Amino acid sequence: MIKSIFSKTIILSLSAIVCTNSLFSKDQPAKAKLLPVHAKVDTSRTAWWQKARFGMFIHWGVYTVPAGLYQGKNIPGLGEWIMHDANIPVAVYKEYAKQFNPTEYDPEKWVLMAKSAGMKYIVITTKHHDGFALFDSKASDWNVVKATPYGKDLIRPLADACRKYGMKLGFYYSQANDWGNKGGAAARGHWDDAQKGSMDEYIDRVAIPQVREILTNYGDVAELWWDVPTDMTKERAAKFLPLLALQPNIITNDRLGGDVKGDLFTPEQYIPATGISGLWETCMTINNTWGFKVNDHSWKPAKQLIRNLIETASKGGNYLLNVGPETSGKFPQPIVERLEAIGKWMKVNSESIYETTPGPFKVLPWGRATSKTGTNGTTILYLHVYNWPEDGKLLIPGLNNTIVSAKLLANGNTLKTSKADDGVLVSVPAVGLDDNATVIKITIKGKADVSPFIQSPAADGSIALVPGLADLHTEKGGESIRPEGGNEQNLGFWTDAKSYVSWQFQVKKPGNYVIETWVATPASSTTLKLSVDKETIQKEITNTGGYNEYRKISLGTIKIDKAGLNTLTLSADRANWKPVNVRKLVLIPKG
């Protein structure tokens, strides 16, 4: 996976890219077609994926032998990056393979655990950045068959088990970073002469043949998950694309590099604040690492994992939850327990996750919502309630539709509803049915009609405008800004000066307001514009140290002449614009 120090810059470089048609290598299929950009995704290929909403990611390999320890020391960082982070020589690292003997590997058990948890597909690391292949490869002897005492292909029995139990199977493949085969890239550069060589020769000799092997030898492949495009030029990326014709229905992600978008945007370890236009799949770990690490005991509670799934579905994405098996092939017990807990919740509530679309609400103070198209012109809303109302009344804010029915999803008990000035009230039992999330199923007439959310002032008169509640705008053909993050949201991917955002808010007391925010940019100079009604201010932003280094600044003072509803617009000065990340704006009454 992408290490955190690289993720922002790598993902930013992928935010405004276009597919290329040139430079196929001579030994690849002649009739291949390139994958479309996000805006032209072939829905016949992706329909199953959009319905699935939940998948299992598996990181497994030789790195589970050291499991985060080298020369008696705990190596900080991700378990699967230990070779890189500890600068382990190739010859030394390859000795670990002699201890990789997963005699307790039971692929059918893996698949059934995923299935019981409610997962619809599995993506496994066929080869991670250490270059070790979990399959029988003719392109490199650095693989499980030739380099380990186990001596058998690990992917084939998993593919067979997936077919047996109706589980879709996808493959992760590290196409650029390869620290065990000569010429492969390394994110921070090589540390061993044994790694040096031509990257182009590596691609032609190892990567291209191995991708052909995994797309040819294991039946249908649902998803191909590229990762970390270090040194991947357009020409290098183009060599891989014709191979996709071997699996006409395959879905790919956005990490190949070389200006290729693929089908899926892949947020890592976060859920986008407002979702993303197009298809997206957020990948997250159960603890802090992807590959098994013996000293990582920071297991996320099952409640958090269930709510991550709900949060992702409520914004129109898929949740790819990672597990890191031990060398033996067993899942650590905390993983087993969490999958069982998720499965227990999904057994009752999966209807509110599978085949859903985003809920229509910008703000739900008590939880999240998903939706589906109902029958006879109705829409179904699934309300996932985290904070159960103490007074027995749940307000659905801003909902204007006529209610056809309301019931608890778990037991089918009918609930009474009534109109309120600011939405619909649902009469609920004194206690919720599930502490993780109790789901209420609401059927309404027509498409959801929800009044816009209007931000109100706090008790001190200040007004906080957060990225996740902004309205996003861009001119035709432009790239949209994307709200990112969880608790610390920011407006990111602001690569197009034509894009801008706005907020609606209430003002009780007209007057002058100081506007503060937090910004991050590596640019030497870039300028933001801010306007309310006819009042406009501009502020030059200088280098803060990078896209992750935020600085608190004052944008200036603006006069707001009228009480009631106002709109603030934040835009770019096109004459002086470089990308910048912006956190919430806070309007503070002056004087």
Side-chain angles (χ1 to χ4, degrees):
M1 300 299 297
I2 291 178
K3 290 171 68 70
S4 61
I5 58 171
F6 301 118
S7 60
K8 287 287 185 180
T9 53
I10 290 173
I11 292 175
L12 184 66
S13 70
L14 294 170
S15 65
I17 46 185
V18 185
C19 221
T20 179
N21 279 310
S22 60
L23 298 169
F24 300 150
S25 65
K26 60 184 179 181
D27 61 343
Q28 296 171 339
K31 295 183 179 180
K33 294 182 179 179
L34 302 191
L35 287 182
V37 296
H38 289 308
K40 300 178 182 178
V41 168
D42 177 2
T43 55
S44 66
R45 285 186 299 108
T46 61
W48 73 267
W49 183 93
Q50 291 175 273
K51 296 175 181 178
R53 290 293 173 235
F54 192 22
M56 174 183 281
F57 215 172
I58 303 174
H59 276 64
W60 197 32
V62 167
Y63 40 79
T64 61
V65 176
L69 302 174
Y70 181 57
Q71 296 181 338
K73 297 179 181 179
N74 185 57
I75 305 301
L78 302 174
E80 71 281 4
W81 278 73
I82 189 169
M83 182 183 181
H84 177 281
D85 291 349
N87 289 343
I88 303 175
V90 173
V92 174
Y93 187 80
K94 287 189 174 182
E95 286 294 307
Y96 288 126
K98 296 177 181 179
Q99 301 174 58
F100 188 78
N101 190 22
T103 54
E104 296 185 63
Y105 174 47
D106 186 344
E108 288 200 9
K109 187 175 182 179
W110 284 16
V111 173
L112 290 174
M113 288 175 68
K115 198 176 184 74
S116 294
M119 293 157 162
K120 294 292 188 179
Y121 61 106
I122 290 172
V123 178
I124 187 170
T125 52
T126 60
K127 187 198 79 167
H128 206 270
H129 306 324
D130 62 357
F132 178 77
L134 297 187
F135 57 96
D136 186 6
S137 176
K138 303 299 186 290
S140 170
D141 289 346
W142 182 224
N143 69 70
V144 66
V145 175
K146 298 182 177 69
T148 77
Y150 189 73
K152 292 179 287 187
D153 190 316
L154 294 168
I155 300 300
R156 186 171 303 282
L158 181 62
D160 292 342
C162 284
R163 276 191 293 274
K164 180 177 179 179
Y165 294 106
M167 179 73 66
K168 297 277 189 181
L169 179 61
F171 293 149
Y172 169 114
Y173 185 86
S174 175
Q175 75 284 2
N177 277 266
D178 189 319
W179 313 320
N181 288 293
K182 283 184 178 292
R188 288 202 187 105
H190 296 133
W191 59 90
D192 185 345
D193 287 345
Q195 297 168 320
K196 293 180 179 178
S198 164
M199 185 168 179
D200 291 301
E201 289 181 10
Y202 155 75
I203 288 173
D204 292 340
R205 175 176 51 85
V206 177
I208 294 292
Q210 285 190 337
V211 173
R212 182 181 290 108
E213 288 171 339
I214 62 175
L215 296 185
T216 301
N217 296 338
Y218 302 102
D220 291 340
V221 181
E223 185 173 337
L224 185 55
W225 225 94
W226 311 111
D227 198 19
V228 191
T230 304
D231 298 331
M232 285 294 289
T233 62
K234 290 183 179 181
E235 292 77 13
R236 288 168 177 165
K239 291 182 177 184
F240 290 91
L241 295 172
L243 291 173
L244 302 179
L246 295 168
Q247 295 280 344
N249 295 317
I250 201 167
I251 297 170
T252 69
N253 72 353
D254 56 348
R255 300 190 184 192
L256 176 60
D259 294 355
V260 179
K261 279 190 173 180
D263 300 303
L264 309 177
F265 180 74
T266 51
E268 182 169 327
Q269 298 285 43
Y270 76 94
I271 301 168
T274 56
I276 297 170
S277 176
L279 305 184
W280 59 279
E281 177 181 71
T282 198
C283 54
M284 287 187 168
T285 51
I286 284 185
N287 50 354
N288 288 332
T289 187
W290 303 90
F292 174 70
K293 194 172 180 183
V294 69
N295 289 328
D296 183 357
H297 305 297
S298 301
W299 304 104
K300 299 179 179 75
K303 178 190 287 188
Q304 181 180 344
L305 300 175
I306 291 167
R307 291 185 177 184
N308 284 346
L309 171 60
I310 294 167
E311 177 92 8
T312 304
S314 77
K315 295 172 180 177
N318 280 20
Y319 186 49
L320 190 61
L321 180 61
N322 183 77
V323 298
E326 299 172 7
T327 298
S328 66
K330 289 178 59 177
F331 285 7
Q333 188 59 26
I335 291 178
V336 175
E337 293 168 359
R338 281 150 181 78
L339 292 179
E340 289 175 348
I342 296 169
K344 182 179 178 181
W345 186 87
M346 284 290 283
K347 188 174 182 180
V348 174
N349 299 291
S350 61
E351 177 187 332
S352 70
I353 301 295
Y354 300 143
E355 302 185 33
T356 59
T357 53
F361 308 97
K362 274 200 169 184
V363 175
L364 287 175
W366 38 256
R368 298 291 181 267
T370 56
S371 66
K372 282 181 184 175
T373 300
T375 58
N376 300 319
T378 63
T379 297
I380 300 171
L381 303 177
Y382 297 96
L383 311 180
H384 300 81
V385 185
Y386 302 161
N387 305 312
W388 201 252
E390 295 180 358
D391 63 357
K393 299 290 184 181
L394 183 79
L395 176 67
I396 311 176
L399 185 65
N400 299 311
N401 299 76
T402 299
I403 306 298
V404 176
S405 66
K407 63 182 180 179
L408 292 166
L409 185 59
N411 57 23
N413 287 356
T414 300
L415 303 174
K416 292 182 179 180
T417 63
S418 58
K419 290 293 290 181
D421 291 340
D422 48 355
V424 171
L425 283 173
V426 184
S427 298
V428 297
V431 181
L433 303 181
D434 194 310
D435 187 51
N436 298 296
T438 298
V439 182
I440 298 173
K441 182 178 179 179
I442 305 285
T443 302
I444 60 175
K445 287 186 178 181
K447 295 182 179 180
D449 177 12
V450 178
S451 300
F453 174 79
I454 308 297
Q455 181 68 55
S456 298
D460 62 0
S462 66
I463 303 162
L465 305 177
V466 300
L469 299 180
D471 293 314
L472 312 179
H473 311 273
T474 188
E475 294 181 8
K476 185 177 181 180
E479 288 285 333
S480 180
I481 301 168
R482 292 175 184 162
E484 299 180 275
N487 293 330
E488 286 286 4
Q489 296 177 5
N490 69 275
L491 297 165
F493 294 84
W494 200 344
T495 59
D496 192 332
K498 298 185 294 294
S499 297
Y500 63 99
V501 299
S502 63
W503 291 267
Q504 289 187 307
F505 61 98
Q506 291 282 356
V507 168
K508 292 182 179 178
K509 184 179 179 181
N512 293 320
Y513 284 78
V514 175
I515 302 179
E516 294 180 345
T517 189
W518 291 256
V519 296
T521 182
S524 59
S525 175
T526 187
T527 303
L528 289 170
K529 295 173 65 176
L530 188 148
S531 62
V532 177
D533 198 11
K534 296 178 182 179
E535 291 282 322
T536 299
I537 57 176
Q538 293 194 173
K539 177 70 174 182
E540 181 184 7
I541 312 297
T542 55
N543 189 337
T544 65
Y547 289 117
N548 293 318
E549 301 297 326
Y550 284 85
R551 180 192 303 154
K552 183 179 179 180
I553 64 168
S554 171
L555 293 175
T557 300
I558 199 163
K559 186 178 181 182
I560 299 178
D561 290 327
K562 63 175 183 177
L565 184 64
N566 282 267
T567 300
L568 182 148
T569 300
L570 181 67
S571 59
D573 177 10
R574 299 188 188 185
N576 180 35
W577 182 247
K578 295 291 188 298
V580 60
N581 289 341
V582 181
R583 286 185 175 161
K584 65 181 178 182
L585 274 62
V586 182
L587 284 69
I588 304 168
K590 188 175 181 180

